[in-house]
Amino acid sequence: AQSVSQHNHHVILSEAASLELGCNYSYGGTVNLFWYVQYPGQHLQLLLKYFSGDPLVKGIKGFEAEFIKSKFSFNLRKPSVQWSDTAEYFCAVNAGTSYDKVIFGPGTSLSVIP
Amino acid sequence: GAVVSQHPSWVICKSGTSVKIECRSLDFQATTMFWYRQFPKQSLMLMATSNEGSKATYEQGVEKDKFLINHASLTLSTLTVTSAHPEDSSFYICSATPGWGGNTEAFFGQGTRLTVV
């Protein structure tokens, strides 16, 4: 069965600090990978996605992620965080086709201190 | 992008009653939809896969008699929480993936917050 783990439960950063959130998945076949963000009181928003091709994917709001197949990882990065990035971040995967179920990681809560 | 809409956005019901939540794909057809629940400060947990014209597939540990899923058309799936209890209070979210050709991500509804009192 697929599973997704995220390295950090809660991350606290100062504004302008760099961010890297770890994500690992367990599935041996083809996967599609996603990072979602959930701002306080709001619903999910897609940050970026990887289906195939260039393993370095750029998303919205200055976020990027790198797919490293050999490490089963899809870490999220941002060079300089802002207070408005305070939110819950979820790594997610679906195996096979994009029509299959999406499995979410436990989430990482990011708090950015002004 | 595609739009998935849930109704209602929030509902409060008395313990022992049943509540129906609708999930609609507004601009595409979906033979498969997914239902998730999210407790406060937690991640989305997949509850079941809703299949148009056939029975839903439930994840391990999810009571199929308590969470009734009906996918009667290609644009509508419903989740009915039967005999709701306070522990069923949660945020319920549905998703569907449009079949526009090629890979595309799932689109999520805005969620339904259920409070059982």
Side-chain angles (χ1 to χ4, degrees):
Chain A
Q2 310 159 46
S3 67
V4 182
S5 62
Q6 293 183 233
H7 300 177
N8 309 95
H9 181 65
H10 192 187
V11 172
I12 302 173
L13 294 173
S14 298
E15 274 194 319
S18 63
L19 169 72
E20 180 160 2
L21 301 182
C23 171
N24 286 91
Y25 65 92
S26 65
Y27 185 71
T30 302
V31 291
N32 305 308
L33 298 156
F34 311 90
W35 274 97
Y36 287 89
V37 62
Q38 190 173 35
Y39 297 102
Q42 297 189 27
H43 60 279
L44 283 179
Q45 182 177 358
L46 180 69
L47 274 180
L48 45 79
K49 59 190 176 185
Y50 172 82
F51 289 113
S52 64
D54 189 343
L56 184 62
V57 248
K58 296 192 183 298
I60 61 171
K61 302 178 189 275
F63 287 92
E64 66 177 32
E66 185 176 12
F67 171 49
I68 303 179
K69 189 175 181 179
S70 61
K71 295 185 178 181
F72 298 89
S73 70
F74 190 55
N75 292 355
L76 180 72
R77 298 194 290 251
K78 185 171 183 177
S80 175
V81 294
Q82 301 172 313
W83 175 78
S84 57
D85 293 323
T86 295
E88 194 79 20
Y89 291 81
F90 297 100
C91 181
V93 59
N94 72 350
T97 76
S98 56
Y99 303 103
D100 291 314
K101 58 188 177 184
V102 177
I103 303 300
F104 286 82
T108 296
S109 178
L110 172 65
S111 298
V112 180
I113 303 168
Chain B
V3 179
V4 175
S5 178
Q6 285 182 239
H7 178 79
S9 297
W10 59 270
V11 58
I12 302 173
C13 71
K14 291 185 177 180
S15 188
T17 62
S18 295
V19 173
K20 180 185 286 188
I21 302 169
E22 293 184 347
C23 177
R24 294 182 184 274
S25 55
L26 297 187
D27 49 1
F28 65 97
Q29 295 182 330
T31 55
T32 303
M33 292 183 174
F34 300 95
W35 285 97
Y36 297 81
R37 65 188 296 183
Q38 183 181 30
F39 290 108
K41 306 286 187 185
Q42 293 188 29
S43 185
L44 281 76
M45 299 300 296
L46 180 67
M47 297 175 67
T49 302
S50 173
N51 303 299
E52 188 269 334
S54 64
K55 290 183 179 180
T57 306
Y58 291 83
E59 296 298 301
Q60 191 173 10
V62 178
E63 299 175 60
K64 62 180 181 180
D65 295 328
K66 181 166 190 60
F67 299 101
L68 300 179
I69 291 173
N70 183 27
H71 195 149
S73 79
L74 287 171
T75 59
L76 173 64
S77 173
T78 60
L79 170 68
T80 301
V81 184
T82 62
S83 186
H85 291 283
E87 57 265 30
D88 299 322
S89 298
S90 188
F91 196 52
Y92 292 87
I93 305 168
C94 69
S95 77
T97 304
W100 291 335
N103 283 319
T104 187
E105 71 273 19
F107 287 84
F108 290 81
Q110 77 275 26
T112 297
R113 185 162 303 285
L114 169 64
T115 302
V116 185
V117 298

